[in-house]
Every structure is written in C-alpha cells, then in structure tokens.
Amino acid sequence: MQTLLYNIPGFEALSESLAEKLGIKKGTYQLKRFTNNEAQIIINDNVKGSKCLVLGTNAPPDRQMIELMFLCHTLKNDGAKKISAILPYLAYTRQDRKEAQKGLAMDWFSKAFKISGISEVITVDIHSRLAKKMFKIPLVSLSPAEIFADEIKKNSFVDATIIAPDEGAINRCKELKKCLGDKSQISYFEKKRNGQIISAAFKGKVGKRAVIVDDILDTGGTLIVACQELKKLGVEEIIIMVTHGLFTNDSWKELWNLGVKKIYTTDTLPEIRIKVPPEVSILQIAPIIEKYVRQKY
Ligand code: R5P
C-alpha cells in the first residue's frame, strides 16, 4: 500500500526531513479560493487505497485548522484508506474540563477530526490525560523527555532539581527524571488561578539550581510565578524546558530578571524560529516523530 505525506503551509521543512529520512513520497494539493474567499481543496495525486500522513496543526490562525480538516476530508472522500494526522502541537487541549457556560473546544476537535476522516492523531506532549481521554479516535502523545534529558546531560545540569510548575506537569517531570536515572522525590508547585492572577505554593526540596519543566510557555505567567518563588527560596540559577513555545506577547521576558539563565523549547510550531530571540534554544522535534513513524509505517 502506498504512503503519501502531505503538509499544510508552514510545515515544509519538517515534512521534507520526514519524507527524506523515511523514504515516503510527498503528496501535493492546492487550496483554491472562491471569489468570496471560501476554500476548496484540490488533490494532485491518486490517493485511492493509500495511507496518508498529514502534517500540520489546528492552532490559530483559524485558517490552519480549516485547511487541515478540509484536506483530510478530501483525501478520505477520494478513497484514502487511512489518514494519520501528525500535529506536533495539538492546540485547544487546555479546554479539557467540562464547566458550566464554558466552551469545551477539545471535545469539538476530537469529533471534528473524526468526521474529517482522520483515523489517528500523532502529537507531542499533550497537555493532560483529560484531553487525551476526550478523544474519539486513537491518539498517541510522544514524549520529548529524551531530547530534554540529552540537553541536561550535555550542559551539566544534572545536579539541578527538576521542578513541575503545577501539578499537571508532575508526570512530564517524572518522565524526564526517568531518562536521567534520577530517583529523587518530585518537587512541584500547587498552582491556583484566580482570573489572571496566579499563585503557587512550593512542595518539596530545591538546591541552588533548578530546571522547570512544562508543556506550554504561553504568556509566561505560570513560570514567572514559579521563578519568583524559587528566588525567595534561594535558587540562583534556573533553566526552563517547555515543549511548546507559544511566547505570546512580551511578558515572558521578565523571566530573564528572575534567575533564568536559559530557556529551551522545541519546534512543534515551526514559526517559533522567527518568533524568539537567539537566547532561546530551539530543539528539533523531528527525530522523535521520525522514530515513531518508522516503527509504525
Ligand atoms: C497550564 O496548565 C499549562 O500547563 C501551562 O502551564 C500554561 O498554559 C502556560 O501558560 P502561561 O505561560 O500563559 O502561564
């Protein structure tokens, strides 16, 4: 059965690298716009009976999610046998709790992916178990722990305390500690949000150096509060490791005033390369996706 790899705009580099390393043929399509801007997908390949891998994201701007889902839907209608969506950053996972009067976008996406013909989603470091549970189709969340562990070893941060900035990050810290062979108790913050105000109470032990690990750096609010508290506890050097760097607005820059020496993120969102200054180290996510796809396809 032939396998074809498609990507939405922005994901060309990751797509080229996966196609080359895995020996998968790239598929192509056009997005045609009607005069009133309505979109239509035109596929350039015969996909009947094929497996299709579709690389992209459902993150804003909204046209990305429309293009992704219209593309998958067209591939399915045209006879594709299986469609696997590779979405390194799966957006909207923070809407994972049912609350009165509030939208539950994750639930909507899981249904929308299904009706778009997607058979499975391959992502990196999904926000929560709750978000994963909500999925109506198989979902694989790949851990970036090995990539971060390599960096910790390379840069001699092994003596630093690994810290979760909230309880949701405890499991990803455990995975990282496992890669490092660190059997010590987890240190974490109990985070509370009151509207925009975040407060955090530290639980555990910490020395002079700390590595804070989280899935998302959005405005930086969570990490700023954690760093302020660590500073009060006498921590002198902080390293930040976040899988998905959204870096929305400039408030995260306050981190440099709070003992943060280095921020690591990954390129799950390709635009990160033009968004952040060179002081932020961007690690490549391609090897872990490649490893998974090689084993499965
Ligand atoms: C929340 O539970 C997430 O894991 C992140 O800690 C959070 O979304 C980061 O957002 P911000 O940088 O705006 O605090």
Side-chain angles (χ1 to χ4, degrees):
M1 192 191 299
Q2 84 164 337
T3 302
L4 287 163
L5 173 64
Y6 291 85
N7 66 273
I8 68 164
F11 285 80
E12 291 79 6
L14 183 53
S15 175
E16 286 295 336
S17 134
L18 286 179
E20 195 196 310
K21 298 231 170 69
L22 298 166
I24 298 176
K25 195 175 159 217
K26 283 192 67 179
T28 59
Y29 71 95
Q30 281 111 44
L31 182 121
K32 176 181 150 193
R33 291 272 177 195
F34 286 85
T35 38
N36 71 340
N37 218 24
E38 286 172 23
Q40 184 181 37
I41 298 286
I42 315 282
I43 294 170
N44 298 329
D45 315 287
N46 177 2
V47 295
K48 217 171 170 46
S50 322
K51 276 189 191 169
C52 295
L53 298 168
V54 181
L55 186 55
T57 186
N58 60 332
D62 293 348
R63 60 176 162 70
Q64 297 196 120
M65 71 173 179
I66 297 288
E67 186 156 345
L68 173 82
M69 287 194 278
F70 279 17
L71 170 59
C72 293
H73 188 250
T74 313
L75 291 168
K76 190 70 191 171
N77 272 348
D78 228 33
K81 195 162 168 43
K82 183 173 181 194
I83 299 173
S84 301
I86 306 177
L87 313 176
Y89 174 59
L90 179 60
Y92 293 92
T93 49
R94 287 177 288 179
Q95 290 184 46
D96 59 358
R97 265 166 232 272
K98 207 170 164 133
E99 286 175 80
Q101 296 174 312
K102 282 195 180 166
L104 191 58
M106 194 70 280
D107 179 53
W108 180 82
F109 269 107
S110 85
K111 289 171 183 151
F113 287 157
K114 191 171 179 192
I115 62 159
S116 300
I118 297 173
S119 343
E120 69 167 339
V121 171
I122 301 163
T123 188
V124 179
D125 201 3
I126 192 168
H127 173 63
S128 66
R129 287 185 179 160
L130 268 183
K132 191 170 182 202
K133 251 182 151 174
M134 222 167 252
F135 260 73
K136 305 284 179 276
I137 50 175
L139 179 143
V140 176
S141 173
L142 306 172
S143 167
E146 270 179 43
I147 301 180
F148 288 143
D150 284 349
E151 239 23 69
I152 288 179
K153 288 182 208 155
K154 252 196 267 169
N155 295 289
S156 320
F157 302 142
V158 272
D159 63 327
T161 315
I162 309 284
I163 294 178
D166 57 28
E167 284 150 294
I170 289 178
N171 278 330
R172 55 182 62 88
C173 285
K174 282 186 180 162
E175 280 176 46
L176 178 57
K177 282 162 82 87
K178 201 167 147 197
C179 292
L180 293 166
D182 175 349
K183 295 201 174 79
S184 62
Q185 283 282 312
I186 200 92
S187 296
Y188 66 98
F189 282 93
E190 259 179 22
K191 178 172 93 175
K192 289 204 171 64
R193 270 187 196 270
N194 186 357
Q196 291 301 97
I197 318 269
I198 302 173
S199 63
F202 185 67
K203 306 282 165 187
K205 287 185 185 151
V206 63
K208 295 274 174 235
R209 300 172 93 202
V211 176
I212 311 183
V213 181
D214 207 357
D215 58 336
I216 298 170
L217 189 162
D218 189 350
T219 63
T222 302
L223 294 168
I224 288 172
V225 171
C227 291
Q228 283 166 340
E229 294 303 314
L230 291 180
K231 221 178 163 194
K232 285 184 209 159
L233 293 167
V235 177
E236 289 165 4
E237 194 180 347
I238 302 172
I239 310 299
I240 284 171
M241 294 186 146
V242 283
T243 313
H244 312 291
L246 308 188
F247 293 93
T248 309
N249 69 49
D250 278 342
S251 51
W252 64 272
K253 291 185 178 157
E254 173 61 12
L255 291 167
W256 301 127
N257 303 323
L258 295 166
V260 173
K261 299 288 180 249
K262 200 136 188 107
I263 301 177
Y264 291 91
T265 189
T266 76
D267 57 358
T268 54
L269 281 168
E271 68 262 26
I272 188 77
R273 301 211 170 271
I274 45 169
K275 217 170 179 183
V276 295
E279 300 85 76
V280 176
S281 296
I282 302 167
L283 308 171
Q284 280 189 12
I285 210 66
I288 66 163
I289 297 177
E290 199 188 297
K291 190 171 158 194
Y292 177 79
V293 176
R294 194 184 292 281
Q295 282 164 359
K296 267 219 97 183
Y297 292 89

